[in-house]
Amino acid sequence: METLNVCPSTLAEGFDTYSPAACKLLFDGKEVSHILGFDSPNNESADKEEYARHVGRISLSGVQPKASLVLNADGQLVRPSEGERGQYILKPAPSSYALLERKYCPANEHLSMQIAAQVYHIETAANALCFFRDGEAAYLTRRFDVAPDGSKYQQEDLASLGGLTKANGGSDYKYSNLSYEECAELIRKYTKAAPIEVLKFFRVVVFNYLILNDDAHLKNFSLMNRGDGEYHLTPAYDLINTSLHLHEPRIFALDKGLFREGMQLSDTHTIGRNDFEEFGRRIGLSTRLVKRELDFFATEQPLAKELIHRSFFSEKLKQYYWQSYNYRRNTIL
């Protein structure tokens, strides 16, 4: 594969592998190669059995395959042994031909997560790109629900907290039953520091709108108890500009949109700053606080453009990502 000139985690310039800052976040300071010791499962010549030996059992959420990995004593990312809990989640490019530009899905999620963390100071799951031996990129994220001793923190997504399942909510239960306003009510119900957690939720909802993520469904928001007896919103995860890969992207993942009574959504011209101001008011945020946050999200951020430029996208997708993000930003000025 080609020699890198940016860190495949932080996108900082001047690195041909993970930077020290990235290694601290992802690997507790250990030096780890960005190249995996096996090939991608997506190439025609790939040895699927070898891939299975390295990653073990694969789960599939929607069209996105996921595998569990651990970091061994030699600084290599490998499959967990029997009974061992994985520390990392590996997401290769999806194999579904229904997706546009599917090989860039890992780069898309990585870039979106880095913009969230670096530009908008949203707490996110530690993440990076890694590369199969044949050069294809995959998305890597460190699990935040696993304690240092290997036990698992208690975590519940908003579908579960809302009592929704496929049996009682239909096949699209993650999308069709609640609005983001009702999600905020669940967060208030189950958290002690509700004003703080609701503000964090508001910021992620606005960010998802900004980057055209129309897959921010109920299972992509979770509350977690780290053992102190209190639930908090987890770090953000699964942030991605879905418009780059879908033939018919939407505005919001949830059918109702922002409000409990639903919204009339025909195109992006129907969404503006006033909608997010009303959303903030309904979920209990002060007018001053909502103005401060929306002003920040609406302000042009040079670092966002730099990160897009340094990303692992094709030049065409870099341009599309910037234009679509910039357009959405201008709708909330």
Side-chain angles (χ1 to χ4, degrees):
M1 61 173 291
E2 296 181 8
T3 301
L4 305 184
N5 57 17
V6 298
C7 168
S9 175
T10 65
L11 294 174
E13 294 180 305
F15 296 95
D16 59 5
T17 187
Y18 298 124
S19 65
C23 289
K24 183 177 180 180
L25 279 173
L26 283 161
F27 311 118
D28 297 325
K30 298 175 184 175
E31 291 187 8
V32 175
S33 173
H34 62 281
I35 302 174
L36 298 171
F38 48 97
D39 291 337
S40 162
N42 290 325
N43 294 330
E44 290 183 4
S45 59
D47 185 339
K48 303 295 194 297
E49 291 186 6
E50 183 196 25
Y51 179 79
R53 285 196 300 273
H54 280 91
V55 304
R57 183 176 179 180
I58 297 173
S59 67
L60 187 66
S61 176
V63 295
Q64 181 70 68
K66 297 179 182 179
S68 183
L69 297 176
V70 296
L71 188 63
N72 69 12
D74 298 324
Q76 297 174 318
L77 290 163
V78 297
R79 68 179 292 180
S81 58
E82 190 68 30
E84 185 180 17
R85 194 182 300 279
Q87 302 165 299
Y88 301 90
I89 295 172
L90 178 73
K91 297 166 73 172
S95 58
S96 172
Y97 288 95
L99 296 176
L100 304 171
E101 304 283 4
R102 57 194 173 90
K103 77 173 184 177
Y104 288 107
C105 284
N108 187 344
E109 186 168 359
H110 170 243
L111 171 63
S112 300
M113 294 283 283
Q114 291 298 320
I115 291 175
Q118 296 189 45
V119 178
Y120 295 104
H121 313 301
I122 293 170
E123 184 185 9
T124 59
N127 63 89
L129 286 182
C130 58
F131 298 85
F132 291 106
R133 194 168 52 195
D134 53 20
E136 185 173 309
Y139 179 75
L140 181 75
T141 184
R142 183 171 184 169
R143 291 183 60 169
F144 51 72
D145 60 341
V146 177
D149 64 2
S151 62
K152 193 173 184 298
Y153 295 124
Q154 189 174 2
Q155 180 178 332
E156 300 286 349
D157 61 53
L158 293 189
S160 175
L161 292 173
L164 292 167
T165 64
K166 188 178 293 186
N168 64 22
S171 59
D172 287 336
Y173 73 98
K174 298 183 295 185
Y175 302 93
S176 61
N177 291 280
L178 299 180
S179 64
Y180 291 110
E181 179 184 354
E182 291 164 300
C183 288
E185 291 172 0
L186 286 173
I187 294 171
R188 282 195 174 277
K189 179 179 178 180
Y190 289 102
T191 59
K192 290 182 180 179
I196 296 172
E197 304 305 321
V198 167
L199 175 59
K200 287 159 60 177
F201 175 71
F202 176 81
R203 300 187 79 246
V204 176
V205 171
V206 175
F207 180 76
N208 278 322
Y209 169 76
L210 212 61
I211 64 160
L212 287 77
N213 178 14
D214 75 354
D215 201 38
H217 54 68
L218 299 181
K219 295 186 77 65
N220 280 347
F221 296 94
S222 298
L223 299 182
M224 186 169 65
N225 176 4
R226 291 184 181 270
D228 59 2
E230 292 190 28
Y231 278 95
H232 301 276
L233 200 66
T234 66
Y237 55 95
D238 289 358
L239 305 178
I240 186 169
N241 183 330
T242 52
S243 71
L244 273 63
H245 307 297
L246 301 178
H247 290 277
E248 296 182 4
R250 296 151 53 95
I251 300 175
F252 297 113
L254 303 186
D255 292 348
K256 289 184 175 182
L258 297 175
F259 308 129
R260 93 172 47 251
E261 70 274 18
M263 303 176 73
Q264 295 297 317
L265 302 174
S266 57
D267 57 54
T268 50
H269 295 289
T270 65
I271 300 296
R273 184 181 176 110
N274 61 315
D275 294 298
F276 288 102
E277 290 173 338
E278 173 67 10
F279 173 57
R281 184 191 68 78
R282 289 192 185 198
I283 65 176
L285 302 180
S286 69
T287 301
R288 177 192 59 81
L289 198 54
V290 171
K291 181 181 185 306
R292 183 195 75 185
E293 293 298 331
L294 292 178
D295 285 349
F296 179 50
F297 280 105
T299 300
E300 184 170 347
Q301 303 289 342
L303 178 56
K305 194 168 189 178
E306 290 177 27
L307 292 174
I308 294 169
H309 175 70
R310 297 181 210 152
S311 73
F312 289 81
F313 270 147
S314 66
E315 290 303 317
K316 181 183 75 171
L317 289 185
K318 288 178 184 179
Q319 184 177 16
Y320 184 85
Y321 193 109
W322 167 251
Q323 289 175 341
S324 60
Y325 154 81
N326 206 38
Y327 172 79
R328 283 284 178 90
R329 184 183 62 77
N330 279 288
T331 66
I332 55 173
L333 282 172

